[in-house]
Amino acid sequence: MNTRILLKGGTVVRNGLIERTDVYVVDGKIARVAADVQPAEGDKIYDCTGLTIMSGLVDLHVHLREPGFSSKETIATGTAAAAHGGFTTVCSMPNLAPAPDTMENLQQQLDIIERDAVIKVLPYATITRKRAGDELVNFAELKPYVAGFSDDGTGVQTEEVMRQAMVEAAKTDTIIAAHCEVDELLRGGYIHDGEYAAKNGHRGICSESEWKQVERDIELAAEAGCRYHVCHISTKQTVELIRQAKARGVKITCETGPHYLTMCDMDLKEEGRFKMNPPIRSAEDRDALIAGLQDGTIDVVATDHAPHTAEEKSRGLERSAMGVVGIETSFAVIYTKLVKAGIISLEKAVEVLAEAPRKIFKLGGGLKEGEAADIAVFDLEKEFTVDPDTFLSKGRSTPFEGWQLQGECCLTLVDGRVAYERK
């Protein structure tokens, strides 16, 4: 590995500022961020003229599927895909086999990460044993090794169980990252209970199935004083509940995904690549999410990258597995559809994709001297058509297939090591 890398003449975006400058990396750390850095003999120099340099992106919500479901994705393929998208850290979700609910089970995942990951991976532990919603895991034992605690894929149905989980999270200063869903309100639905479902004879998932549990959890989080993060929010009611909770001083943060910000249910087609949970909802919900992103109610954009096999996604809207991929297109979707459209600034995009996740989850790093050289370089002028056959992920099912986007990743450095380089 070359121990000295100079990113020369790029446009650096960090901490709400944009400046033309150089970034000098020595032995895996950012040594200097300054104009006109003079290289030493033997330095690897990247001419970044016309390119944009930012802190490596962080995805708080990624399914790497290993151990247990390696036909869908592996830690090797998932992290290669993440690096292709400009991500240097991802947090991997716990719906695995075995579930990471004990140190022994978690260690299986940690060993694969150590062996195969090309970027940094922080796993979540489950909130409850086997994600069954009953018995809590040992928070104190697992906390040093995980990003936080989540039963993602299912909501914790019992109020008292979630109350005790939040008490444990407060004691250990860790995060509850909640998939919010009231099972009894699902009623066999599989897309949004809206206009498209009504017109095409589909069973819908009502918005209340999400926001009702968020409403419950906000009160529990206020009572426990824990750090509470709401995963993949999709409804206008959820946005407003979180906005009000923040105003009250509840320690609450949240994320939404690129597809919820850029699509509505009337964009659906009768294909499995449009099926995920929560579903893409109405135009009114989408607009409320955009407003929440603009005013800071929504802290983070995370992909919920959820690969499945081609066969599992080939059964149409009703019968396909829930989940789509997005880690290789996330930045370009946000840049093209929100930044280029004047909805948010480039600085805001970098904040929600890279800086806020680090701050909320206390990950450290960032584009400043002395920190690990986790860096992404993008060509914002590069136009491309989303072609799933070019993905490094095993997953090919994306609602963005065929979209014309701008903003291609050129280079991803992790601890100063090249994790991805555009050929």
Side-chain angles (χ1 to χ4, degrees), residues 36-52:
D36 300 320
V37 173
Q38 296 306 308
E41 186 177 351
D43 288 357
K44 172 68 175 176
I45 302 171
Y46 288 93
D47 181 3
C48 292
T49 304
L51 304 179
T52 300

Side-chain angles (χ1 to χ4, degrees), residues 305-371:
H305 174 82
H308 292 287
T309 65
E311 195 281 326
E312 288 170 319
K313 294 299 291 182
S314 67
R315 307 169 193 159
L317 279 178
E318 181 176 358
R319 296 179 58 243
S320 290
M322 291 279 197
V324 296
V325 298
I327 204 162
E328 295 174 79
T329 54
S330 178
F331 178 85
V333 169
I334 296 302
Y335 179 71
T336 305
K337 299 300 183 179
L338 299 185
V339 176
K340 290 281 291 180
I343 293 168
I344 62 171
S345 65
L346 177 59
E347 300 96 309
K348 180 70 169 180
V350 172
E351 176 190 334
V352 298
L353 287 164
E355 295 168 352
R358 283 192 171 83
K359 182 178 179 181
I360 293 165
F361 279 69
K362 301 183 178 180
L363 302 180
L367 195 53
K368 56 186 176 183
E369 293 174 3
E371 294 290 350

Side-chain angles (χ1 to χ4, degrees), residues 69-344:
F69 305 99
S70 56
S71 62
K72 301 172 188 279
E73 188 80 287
T74 64
I75 285 167
T77 59
T79 58
H84 183 208
F87 289 88
T88 57
T89 300
V90 299
C91 298
S92 58
M93 305 313 292
N95 33 358
L96 302 169
D101 55 3
T102 65
M103 201 58 229
E104 180 183 6
N105 289 345
L106 175 63
Q107 191 62 52
Q108 293 186 43
Q109 188 183 172
L110 294 174
D111 290 344
I112 304 170
I113 291 167
E114 177 67 24
R115 185 188 73 209
D116 292 344
V118 299
I119 65 167
K120 295 172 180 176
V121 179
L122 289 168
Y124 287 96
T126 60
I127 296 170
T128 63
R129 295 291 176 94
K130 301 184 187 301
R131 293 175 44 251
D134 301 319
E135 181 187 356
L136 293 184
V137 301
N138 187 329
F139 277 63
E141 178 186 37
L142 295 166
K143 190 248 179 175
Y145 305 96
V146 299
F149 292 79
S150 178
D151 272 5
D152 187 57
T154 51
V156 175
Q157 301 302 302
T158 306
E159 181 173 326
E160 187 54 33
V161 172
M162 186 56 105
R163 175 180 284 109
Q164 290 305 314
M166 289 187 174
V167 168
E168 290 300 312
K171 281 183 190 174
T172 53
D173 187 29
T174 191
I175 279 185
I176 295 285
H179 173 117
C180 289
E181 190 170 49
V182 180
D183 288 353
E184 66 181 20
L185 295 176
L186 297 178
R187 305 184 185 107
Y190 47 87
I191 64 170
H192 175 58
D193 187 14
E195 186 178 355
Y196 186 90
K199 284 183 174 180
N200 294 278
H202 291 295
R203 292 190 301 279
I205 300 174
C206 67
S207 296
E208 188 181 10
S209 64
E210 174 180 298
W211 66 257
K212 198 69 177 174
Q213 198 163 93
V214 175
E215 184 178 55
R216 179 201 72 181
D217 284 358
I218 285 170
E219 297 313 312
L220 297 177
E223 178 186 313
C226 76
R227 294 155 62 207
Y228 173 59
H229 181 78
V230 190
C231 295
H232 47 46
I233 72 169
S234 66
T235 77
K236 61 185 180 182
Q237 294 93 337
T238 304
V239 175
E240 186 55 31
L241 284 166
I242 293 170
R243 183 179 286 120
Q244 293 174 11
K246 286 188 170 192
R248 287 168 47 198
V250 179
K251 296 177 185 177
I252 186 171
T253 54
C254 69
E255 66 191 48
T256 195
H259 40 290
Y260 303 121
L261 290 163
T262 57
M263 305 179 75
C264 71
D265 64 333
M266 293 309 293
D267 296 315
L268 298 181
K269 294 182 173 61
E270 294 293 313
E271 301 171 37
R273 66 190 180 93
F274 290 90
K275 185 179 182 182
M276 74 290 293
N277 190 26
I280 293 168
R281 299 199 185 269
S282 71
E284 196 174 25
D285 291 302
R286 179 201 60 206
D287 293 347
L289 292 167
I290 289 171
L293 191 69
Q294 290 171 322
D295 71 15
T297 299
I298 296 173
D299 305 272
V300 167
V301 172
T303 63
D304 194 6
H305 174 82
H308 292 287
T309 65
E311 195 281 326
E312 288 170 319
K313 294 299 291 182
S314 67
R315 307 169 193 159
L317 279 178
E318 181 176 358
R319 296 179 58 243
S320 290
M322 291 279 197
V324 296
V325 298
I327 204 162
E328 295 174 79
T329 54
S330 178
F331 178 85
V333 169
I334 296 302
Y335 179 71
T336 305
K337 299 300 183 179
L338 299 185
V339 176
K340 290 281 291 180
I343 293 168
I344 62 171

Side-chain angles (χ1 to χ4, degrees), residues 381-393:
E381 297 304 312
K382 176 68 174 179
E383 297 182 352
F384 64 97
T385 302
V386 177
D387 177 2
D389 288 340
T390 67
F391 289 172
L392 302 184
S393 168

